[in-house]
Amino acid sequence: MKVIVLECIYTLGTSTPVFCCFKIVKTTLRILVMSPEPMSSQKVMRYYLRPEILEKLFSLSAGREVVPVYAARGFGSRPSIVQFPGDLEHMIRRGATSFHCSIEHWKNPLVLANQLKKQEMNALRSGWDLVFDIDSKKDLYVGQITADLVVRALNEHGISTVSVKFSGRRGFHIGVRMECMPKNINNITIAASYPDVLQKVAHYIKQYMRKPLLEEIVRYDKNLETELKGDPYEAVELEENWSNRHLFRMPYSFNEKTWLVSVPVDPEKIRDFKAEFAQPERVSGKLGFLETFEEDSAETLVANALEYRDEKPAEKKKGHEKVAAHLLDGHGVVQIVKKKATNSEMHRSYSRLTAEELENEMASFKKTDFSSTRIGKRVPEEFFPPCIKKGMAGLEDGRKRFMFILINFLKSSGWVMNEIDEKITEFNKNNPEPVDESYVRGQVSYASKRAESFPPPNCAAAGYYNDLKICEPDNICAKIKNPLGYAFFMGMKPKKKKKASRKPIKRSAQKKKPSGP
C-alpha cells in the first residue's frame, strides 16, 4: 500500500507545524515529527533532570568540551566543560535545550583557544573517537539503510564494539571509542593524527559501501534511481570534513528541530527503529553510547583507509613501458622493473614511479608475461621472504596485524581468494591463541570484495615486522624495501637452461666402390 508521508518541523515558540516535504514510500508510515505541540521549557527541564538521563550525559563528559545550546541565545561560550553532575543541572535550569560535546578528548579543555597552533592543539589532545555523522536528504529510512551498512562495514573490518544513536531528525551517529584505534601511525601518535586520519577513514568507508548503498536505496525507492545517477550520496550525506574542536550532539540530548531525543539504538535493530521511539516519554536511558571498546580493533580499518586510493581511469600504456614489481618505500615512490629488461638486468634496472600510479601499475602487473622467469603469475611459497614464512608459523602477539600483512602479500602475489582463505585459516590454527573466527571471516570477506590489490607494509614501516619480531633478513633482504619485492626478485632470476646433451652422430659406413678390373 502506498501512503503519503508528511515531514513537519516545529520550531520553539510556535504551535504551527511547517510542512516542508512530501514523500511517497512503499510500505509503512514513517512520520518524522510525532510531537503535537512545541516543547515547553518545563517539559525540557523535567526530562533532563531525570537521574538516568543526567547520568548518561555526565558519563560522556569527562575530558571533553561540553557546550549547551540555550533557547534564547544559541550556543554557550567555549571552552566549556562539565566536571560534576551539578554543572549539567545548572545549565539545564538556565534553559539549556540541548548538549553538544567534542569528538576529541583533551588533557585540559579549558585552555583551548582558536589561536592555538597545530602543535599546541596536538599536545593538548589525548585522543579522539571515530564518529560517522549520517544525514538523510530524503526520509528517515534512507538514513537507517546507511547507518546499518556503516555498522556492517565496521564489523567486516574487525570492529565489534560499535555504538549507534538517532540524531533526532533524519540521521544517525555511529561511534567507535578512541581505545579501539591504533596507538601510533608511522611514528605519529593517534592523538596527533586528528583530523587527517578520521577524514580518510570516513572517505574510505563511503567508497567501501558505495555500491551496496546505491543498490539498497534504489531497491527501497525505484523512483530515486534516475535522480541519483549512480551516486547514493545524492540521497544521504556521510560527513568526512571533520575539523578541530568539532562538536556532535550528545546522546539523550534533544534535537530542537523536531523535539525528539538523540536516543541510542541497538546496532542490530537499526532498520526496526521508528521516530516515535525518540519521544522523551518513551526514552528509558538504558542504552549507552561509546561505552564499550576492544583495544586496537580498528587497526585494520585505519591501515586500509590510509592505503586506499580513489579509482582513476587507467592510462593506455605501450608494451615497453614500466610494469612489474611494486616496492612501496613509504616516501611517495614505488620502485618497479622494466618489462623489456633482460633477465640479468632485472636485478638492477629499476626506475621510480609516483605513488599515485601504483594502482595502474598493479593492474599492469597482472597482465605481465613472466614466462621467461621462475615466478609465473602466482608467487610460490618457496619464494616467500623470511618474515612471511616466520609469521605463518604462528604468533603470540600482533596476530591481526600479520593477518593484514599476509592477505595483502598473497593477493598482490597472484593468489586467488580460496587459496588465500586456506592460508589465513592455516595461519590462525598455528597461533597459540587463534584470532576470533568472526574477525577472520570479516577480513577474508573484505579482501574478496576489494578488486584492487595493495602491497603489504614496507619492511621499515613502524609497528609491523620488527615489532612483531619476524624480521630475520637474509642476503636478499638488503636489496628490497617490501616483502613483495623479495618474491619478485627471487622469481626474476633467469631460468637455468638445460644444456642439450649431444648424442654422437652415427655415420653410416661408406660403401666402397668396387674396384675396376
Side-chain angles (χ1 to χ4, degrees):
M1 180 179 69
K2 292 186 177 180
V3 295
I4 295 179
V5 176
L6 303 181
E7 290 185 2
C8 57
I9 298 175
Y10 284 92
T11 58
L12 189 63
T14 177
S15 59
T16 305
V18 180
F19 290 92
C20 61
C21 179
F22 296 86
K23 178 69 184 173
I24 296 178
V25 297
K26 293 182 178 179
T27 52
T28 60
L29 182 65
R30 296 183 179 91
I31 300 178
L32 179 62
V33 178
M34 306 301 297
S35 177
E37 59 183 13
M39 189 75 68
S40 68
S41 58
Q42 291 81 9
K43 192 172 181 179
V44 172
M45 188 182 300
R46 282 199 302 271
Y47 165 78
Y48 279 131
L49 291 177
R50 287 165 50 184
E52 67 274 22
I53 302 302
L54 273 175
E55 180 187 349
K56 289 298 183 184
L57 289 169
F58 181 69
S59 67
L60 199 64
S61 300
R64 302 178 191 264
E65 283 190 88
V66 177
V67 185
V69 171
Y70 296 102
R73 55 187 183 277
F75 277 92
S77 60
R78 298 177 69 179
S80 173
I81 65 171
V82 168
Q83 291 182 297
F84 309 100
D87 297 335
L88 282 170
E89 187 173 343
H90 176 69
M91 294 173 180
I92 294 165
R93 294 190 184 280
R94 289 183 60 204
T97 54
S98 64
F99 296 90
H100 302 254
C101 69
S102 59
I103 288 175
E104 298 153 277
H105 295 247
W106 304 101
K107 297 170 185 175
N108 184 359
L110 288 178
V111 301
L112 292 169
N114 290 333
Q115 52 270 44
L116 289 178
K117 296 179 180 178
K118 181 178 180 180
Q119 294 86 345
E120 295 172 317
M121 296 279 282
N122 289 345
L124 282 172
R125 192 185 298 110
S126 58
W128 47 273
D129 297 315
L130 181 59
V131 176
F132 299 90
D133 186 355
I134 297 163
D135 186 19
S136 170
K137 301 175 187 178
K138 302 302 177 181
D139 60 18
L140 176 60
Y141 197 67
V142 171
Q144 290 173 259
I145 292 171
T146 309
D148 187 46
L149 290 179
V150 170
V151 171
R152 282 198 229 168
L154 295 175
N155 292 160
E156 287 172 3
H157 285 75
I159 306 171
S160 58
T161 52
V162 181
S163 298
V164 181
K165 72 179 183 70
F166 174 49
S167 69
R169 197 178 180 198
R170 290 193 298 260
F172 291 84
H173 294 145
I174 314 295
V176 177
R177 272 182 61 132
M178 68 174 183
E179 290 87 351
C180 298
M181 307 296 286
K183 303 299 182 293
N184 294 280
I185 301 171
N186 294 332
N187 292 325
I188 300 174
T189 65
I190 190 67
S193 68
Y194 182 90
D196 299 343
V197 170
L198 175 52
Q199 292 170 351
K200 289 179 180 179
V201 169
H203 179 72
Y204 166 71
I205 287 293
K206 282 180 70 172
Q207 305 315 312
Y208 178 81
M209 54 182 274
R210 177 182 286 272
K211 184 178 178 181
L213 178 59
L214 177 64
E215 291 172 351
E216 293 224 26
I217 291 175
V218 171
R219 190 180 303 125
Y220 163 65
D221 188 347
K222 280 281 186 185
N223 296 321
L224 291 174
E225 185 169 10
T226 304
E227 180 183 337
L228 298 183
K229 297 178 181 178
D231 184 5
Y233 298 109
E234 289 295 318
V236 62
E237 291 182 4
L238 205 166
E239 178 68 63
E240 58 179 285
N241 295 320
W242 297 95
S243 57
N244 289 319
R245 301 182 69 188
H246 199 116
L247 302 176
F248 72 101
R249 191 180 306 277
M250 294 183 74
Y252 294 100
S253 172
F254 277 115
N255 185 319
E256 292 91 342
K257 293 180 179 178
T258 62
W259 293 110
L260 295 176
V261 176
S262 185
V263 63
V265 179
D266 184 338
E268 300 293 327
K269 299 179 181 178
I270 295 173
R271 300 202 188 206
D272 298 329
F273 179 80
K274 292 182 173 57
E276 56 263 33
F277 296 170
Q279 290 177 312
E281 60 271 18
R282 297 187 63 172
V283 173
S284 66
K286 290 181 180 178
L287 285 177
F289 186 79
L290 292 173
E291 290 186 351
T292 60
F293 64 90
E294 180 186 348
E295 282 200 20
D296 302 327
S297 57
E299 278 186 347
T300 299
L301 172 66
V302 172
N304 290 350
L306 294 180
E307 290 194 1
Y308 176 77
R309 302 287 187 277
D310 284 322
E311 292 185 2
K312 296 178 181 178
E315 296 179 4
K316 291 183 179 180
K317 295 183 179 294
K318 297 178 182 179
H320 66 276
E321 288 184 330
K322 310 166 187 178
V323 191
H326 304 273
L327 314 175
L328 190 62
D329 69 8
H331 299 285
V333 296
V334 177
Q335 290 190 330
I336 59 172
V337 181
K338 298 263 189 181
K339 182 177 180 181
K340 285 285 185 172
T342 63
N343 289 330
S344 60
E345 291 172 335
M346 284 187 177
H347 294 284
R348 62 179 185 272
S349 181
Y350 289 96
S351 60
R352 299 183 79 77
L353 178 70
T354 61
E356 285 73 14
E357 295 176 11
L358 173 62
E359 185 175 339
N360 290 339
E361 294 302 319
M362 290 300 291
S364 299
F365 164 67
K366 294 176 181 177
K367 300 176 183 178
T368 305
D369 180 12
F370 288 108
S371 58
S372 63
T373 73
R374 299 188 301 164
I375 195 169
K377 288 204 174 185
R378 174 186 177 279
V379 175
E381 285 190 56
E382 63 189 274
F383 294 161
F384 284 10
C387 56
I388 298 295
K389 290 179 179 178
K390 185 169 183 180
M392 285 171 54
L395 298 171
E396 291 186 5
D397 298 312
R399 294 157 296 159
K400 292 180 180 178
R401 273 178 288 170
F402 182 74
M403 191 175 296
F404 167 72
I405 292 169
L406 185 57
I407 289 175
N408 280 328
F409 176 82
L410 293 174
K411 194 168 184 184
S412 298
S413 299
W415 287 50
V416 296
M417 279 314 303
N418 64 320
E419 296 173 325
I420 295 173
D421 193 353
E422 289 174 5
K423 273 296 165 195
I424 295 299
T425 302
E426 178 186 327
F427 156 68
N428 202 32
K429 287 180 180 177
N430 291 338
N431 291 321
E433 184 180 347
V435 177
D436 185 82
E437 185 63 20
S438 62
Y439 181 88
V440 177
R441 292 299 101 214
Q443 294 308 297
V444 173
S445 173
Y446 164 69
S448 64
K449 292 175 183 176
R450 190 181 66 183
E452 67 274 18
S453 300
F454 294 106
N458 296 321
C459 302
Y464 290 100
Y465 311 96
N466 281 317
D467 287 1
L468 297 176
K469 297 182 172 63
I470 58 174
C471 183
E472 295 183 348
D474 60 15
N475 59 333
I476 294 176
C477 291
K479 297 178 173 67
I480 56 100
K481 294 176 183 285
N482 188 288
L484 194 58
Y486 187 103
F488 290 156
F489 187 94
M490 290 287 292
M492 286 177 183
K493 288 180 180 179
K495 293 179 181 179
K496 292 182 179 179
K497 294 182 179 180
K498 293 183 179 180
K499 293 181 178 180
S501 57
R502 293 186 176 181
K503 295 182 180 179
I505 300 173
K506 294 181 179 180
R507 296 183 179 179
S508 55
Q510 292 183 352
K511 294 182 179 179
K512 292 182 178 181
K513 292 182 180 180
S515 55

